[in-house]
């Protein structure tokens, strides 16, 4: 079942009255779903929860999204942005497809969230699919263990930007990064990170571009991670030009080891 036509209740902090109403094409109410119990719902349609619960300050548990497999365009865009009252872990472990801006800024500024599980997402090929997802949030760990390919403009830009409680990210199966600003600033300012495993990454390529704008795929990706000690990039063998990894580790004052043993050529890239 998917939710496509809705009216939103509970916006702006009026928890616990957080629910969505599903209407048919004739405008008749079919059902009402409490937002923390989306039983039977597997897809969030285009724009359905766009900005729906933004700015909640009342203590509210994170909805159970564990059955959601598909997020449509702008489906959860800005849905809980700035909701400092939102608490708990984010279970998006069944999500396999995210459309354009589907999860953009969803938990941005949510300072009391914990772990985020996106472990079933294998490919990101839509613009800004998860950019700013946990921007300046309280996220403690991010599971993207199933992700193998990123190829879209702004795909993961500023994903966890300045989320200082983040201590663990799982990108161990990521093989390819492509797209203008695809991972730019993704973990910039995440001062809780100490070690990053990118041992599966084999290439950083041009990929999807925005008009005449090209490159900068990993621009400032880990900049300002002042406690980052080690990064494993042992299988990275191809890096395209156009500032693909420019300033990637800028300001990482504790960095001692970056394994780039397989890298073939970098074509005038600043790090």
């Amino acid at each position: 079942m998917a939710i496509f036509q809705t009216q939103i209740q509970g916006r702006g902090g009026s928890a616990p009255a957080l629910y969505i109403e599903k209407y048919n094409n004739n405008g008749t109410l079919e059902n009402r779903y409490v937002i923390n119990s989306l039983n039977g719902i597997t897809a969030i349609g285009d724009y359905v929860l766009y900005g729906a619960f933004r700015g909640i300050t009342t203590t509210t548990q994170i909805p159970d999204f564990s059955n959601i497999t598909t997020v449509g365009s702008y489906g959860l865009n800005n849905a809980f942005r700035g909701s400092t009252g939102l608490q708990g872990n984010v279970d998006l472990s069944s999500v396999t497809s995210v459309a354009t801006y589907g999860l953009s800024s969803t938990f941005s500024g949510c300072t009391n969230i914990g772990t985020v599980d996106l472990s079933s997402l294998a490919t990101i090929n839509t613009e800004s699919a998860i950019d700013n997802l946990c921007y300046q949030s309280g996220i403690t760990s991010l599971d993207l263990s199933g992700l193998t390919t990123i190829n879209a403009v702004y795909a993961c830009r500023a994903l966890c930007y300045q989320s200082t409680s983040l201590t663990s990210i799982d990108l161990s199966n990521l093989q390819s990064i492509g797209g203008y600003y695809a991972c730019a600033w993704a973990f910039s300012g995440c001062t809780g990170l100490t070690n990053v495993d990118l041992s599966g990454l084999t290439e950083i390529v041009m990929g999807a571009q925005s008009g005449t704008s090209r490159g900068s795929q990993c621009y400032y990706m880990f900049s300002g991670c002042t406690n980052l000690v080690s990064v494993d990039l042992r299988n990275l063998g191809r890096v395209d030009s156009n500032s693909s990894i420019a300033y990637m580790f800028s300001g990482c004052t504790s960095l001692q080891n970056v394994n780039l043993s397989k890298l073939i050529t970098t074509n005038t890239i600043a790090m």
Side-chain angles (χ1 to χ4, degrees), residues 196-216:
V196 175
D197 180 5
L198 288 170
S199 59
L201 188 64
T202 61
E203 61 179 17
I204 300 173
V205 297
M206 285 296 180
Q209 301 301 312
S210 177
T212 58
S213 299
R214 302 176 62 79
S216 303

Side-chain angles (χ1 to χ4, degrees), residues 136-139 160-167 188-193:
Q136 292 183 337
S137 74
I139 182 174
C160 296
Y161 179 81
Q162 290 187 353
S163 294
T164 56
S165 297
L166 182 66
T167 59
S188 179
C190 293
T191 54
L193 288 177

Side-chain angles (χ1 to χ4, degrees), residues 149-160:
T149 306
I150 298 170
N151 184 20
V153 175
Y154 310 130
C156 303
R157 177 184 54 177
L159 174 60
C160 296

Side-chain angles (χ1 to χ4, degrees), residues 5-165:
Q5 293 177 290
T6 65
Q7 289 187 359
I8 306 297
Q9 302 292 332
R11 184 170 179 167
S14 54
L18 303 181
Y19 59 87
I20 50 182
E21 295 176 338
K22 182 176 183 289
Y23 290 78
N24 62 25
N25 291 333
N26 297 321
T28 302
L29 177 65
E30 289 187 350
N31 211 335
R32 174 178 289 175
Y33 299 91
V34 177
I35 194 65
N36 62 6
S37 181
L38 296 176
N39 293 331
I41 304 300
T42 59
I44 302 294
D46 296 351
Y47 290 89
V48 166
L49 294 178
Y50 179 32
F53 308 106
R54 185 170 177 173
I56 292 173
T57 55
T58 306
T59 300
T60 306
Q61 289 300 305
I62 292 174
D64 180 6
F65 291 115
S66 60
N67 293 317
I68 303 299
T69 62
T70 304
V71 180
S73 181
Y74 291 85
L76 283 166
N77 183 288
N78 283 286
F80 297 95
R81 183 172 182 174
S83 292
T84 55
L86 198 66
Q87 296 183 357
N89 299 321
V90 179
D91 186 352
L92 291 165
S93 58
S94 296
V95 172
T96 58
S97 175
V98 181
T100 303
Y101 289 91
L103 286 170
S104 177
S105 300
T106 302
F107 300 102
S108 175
C110 295
T111 53
N112 289 302
I113 65 171
T115 63
V116 176
D117 188 341
L118 274 165
S119 55
S120 294
L121 188 61
T123 302
I124 299 176
N125 56 11
T126 54
E127 181 176 347
S128 297
I130 62 171
D131 79 322
N132 294 287
L133 173 65
C134 297
Y135 183 101
Q136 292 183 337
S137 74
I139 182 174
T140 57
S141 73
L142 174 65
D143 188 346
L144 282 167
S145 56
L147 186 62
T148 62
T149 306
I150 298 170
N151 184 20
V153 175
Y154 310 130
C156 303
R157 177 184 54 177
L159 174 60
C160 296
Y161 179 81
Q162 290 187 353
S163 294
T164 56
S165 297

Side-chain angles (χ1 to χ4, degrees), residues 174-196:
L174 182 61
Q175 299 170 19
S176 178
I177 297 175
Y180 180 62
Y181 274 16
C183 293
W185 297 285
F187 304 103
S188 179
C190 293
T191 54
L193 288 177
T194 56
N195 299 282
V196 175

